[in-house]
């Protein structure tokens, strides 16, 4: 069974940083691209970033490029999202998902950016 | 990278069929056969229903079907059931090597 479990969310002040993690199991993690997607309160889904196998290429949406960094550790079957210079509009549920066109999703971790 | 356009809401009675549209541009929906559809119940993670325009993942109900014409993709749900009441999102690969989602459609089963 494919399982994705996010962690690392919480309350952070504007301008602060946070690092999200996603532990993957039930499939060959290193064989798959992985993505982060967020959902702002009461809003729709927004794709944020994707990392290719072996981390050789990374792709970002314009709104987070330069502030967020996606990375992976295939030895730990883990995906990460380093978020810097956080803004109020970054508040939301952050999902880890398998693939560039996601097929499996985690349950999400909540990030709140507020003073 | 504008969101794909979906109707805010649709409704139907049990047993009926409904269709949700997803309109983009030639740089996303119209340019690639990489449209996916997701179902999301309140407080839950999205669930994949359709990928690459019309393919169903294993385990997905055959009451869900996808199609595309030009810059518009569509999701059809036949034999509506109470549990189909949820939010539905489309997504598409784009020429900028990103993924873009639609704004979402709330389905109400009357």
């Amino acid at each position: 069974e494919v399982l994705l479990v996010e962690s690392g969310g919480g309350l952070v002040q504007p301008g602060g940083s946070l690092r999200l993690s996603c532990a993957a199991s039930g499939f060959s993690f290193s064989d798959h691209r992985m993505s982060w997607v967020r959902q702002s309160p009461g809003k729709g889904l927004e794709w944020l970033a994707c990392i290719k196998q072996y981390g050789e290429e990374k792709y970002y949406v314009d709104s987070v490029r330069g502030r967020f960094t996606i990375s992976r550790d295939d030895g730990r079957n883990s995906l990460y999202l380093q978020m810097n210079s956080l803004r109020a509009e970054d508040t939301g549920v952050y999902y880890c998902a398998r693939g560039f066109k996601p097929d499996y999703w985690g349950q999400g971790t909540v990030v709140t950016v507020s003073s | 990278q504008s969101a794909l356009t979906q109707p805010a809401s649709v409704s139907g009675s049990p047993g009926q069929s409904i269709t949700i549209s997803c309109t983009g541009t030639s740089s996303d929906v119209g340019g690639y056969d990489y449209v996916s559809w997701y179902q999301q119940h309140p407080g839950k993670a999205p669930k994949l229903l359709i990928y690459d325009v019309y393919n169903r993942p294993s385990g997905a109900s055959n009451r869900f079907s996808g199609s595309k014409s030009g810059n518009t993709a569509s999701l059809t749900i036949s034999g509506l059931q109470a549990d189909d009441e949820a939010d539905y999102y489309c997504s598409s690969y784009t020429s900028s090597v990103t993924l873009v989602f639609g704004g979402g459609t709330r389905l109400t089963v009357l």
Side-chain angles (χ1 to χ4, degrees):
Chain A
E1 179 195 7
V2 173
L3 197 59
L4 299 168
V5 180
E6 302 91 339
S7 62
L11 174 63
V12 60
Q13 292 189 338
S17 298
L18 212 53
R19 188 194 194 208
L20 305 183
S21 300
C22 170
S25 60
F27 66 101
S28 180
F29 181 76
S30 61
D31 288 342
H32 291 265
R33 301 183 184 196
M34 296 294 295
S35 296
W36 287 99
V37 179
R38 76 181 171 196
Q39 188 165 31
S40 302
K43 300 285 184 61
L45 302 168
E46 181 183 20
W47 177 88
L48 299 178
C50 178
I51 185 168
K52 281 186 70 172
Q53 295 89 329
Y54 311 111
E56 56 191 22
E57 287 186 44
K58 306 173 184 181
Y59 311 97
Y60 298 93
V61 69
D62 287 346
S63 60
V64 306
R65 186 177 291 114
R67 298 190 300 127
F68 291 9
T69 301
I70 189 172
S71 62
R72 64 191 296 161
D73 183 337
D74 290 347
R76 295 178 183 271
N77 288 343
S78 293
L79 177 72
Y80 305 100
L81 186 67
Q82 177 66 44
M83 305 186 295
N84 299 329
S85 303
L86 283 163
R87 308 165 180 166
E89 54 265 36
D90 294 319
T91 293
V93 179
Y94 284 69
Y95 294 101
C96 162
R98 189 178 80 168
F100 199 123
K101 305 171 286 176
D103 53 4
Y104 288 93
W105 300 60
Q107 287 304 304
T109 186
V110 177
V111 173
T112 303
V113 184
S114 175
S115 54
Chain B
Q1 296 165 347
S2 300
L4 306 176
T5 301
Q6 297 181 233
S9 63
V10 297
S11 63
S13 299
Q16 288 187 331
S17 294
I18 64 94
T19 296
I20 299 171
S21 61
C22 169
T23 301
T25 69
S26 58
S27 296
D28 39 65
V29 175
Y32 308 92
D33 287 337
Y34 294 143
V35 175
S36 298
W37 289 91
Y38 299 91
Q39 177 191 62
Q40 186 179 35
H41 286 106
K44 300 294 187 180
K47 174 186 174 183
L48 180 66
L49 297 175
I50 297 287
Y51 67 96
D52 295 350
V53 179
Y54 50 77
N55 293 297
R56 274 188 304 274
S58 59
S61 170
N62 58 10
R63 296 188 300 107
F64 298 93
S65 61
S67 62
K68 191 185 86 166
S69 178
N71 295 337
T72 298
S74 299
L75 172 72
T76 297
I77 308 174
S78 59
L80 270 180
Q81 300 177 358
D83 189 51
D84 295 334
E85 188 160 291
D87 293 326
Y88 291 83
Y89 295 90
C90 62
S91 72
S92 175
Y93 177 81
T94 82
S95 60
S96 301
V97 196
T98 62
L99 195 77
V100 62
F101 285 94
T105 298
R106 172 70 53 88
L107 169 61
T108 300
V109 180
L110 303 171

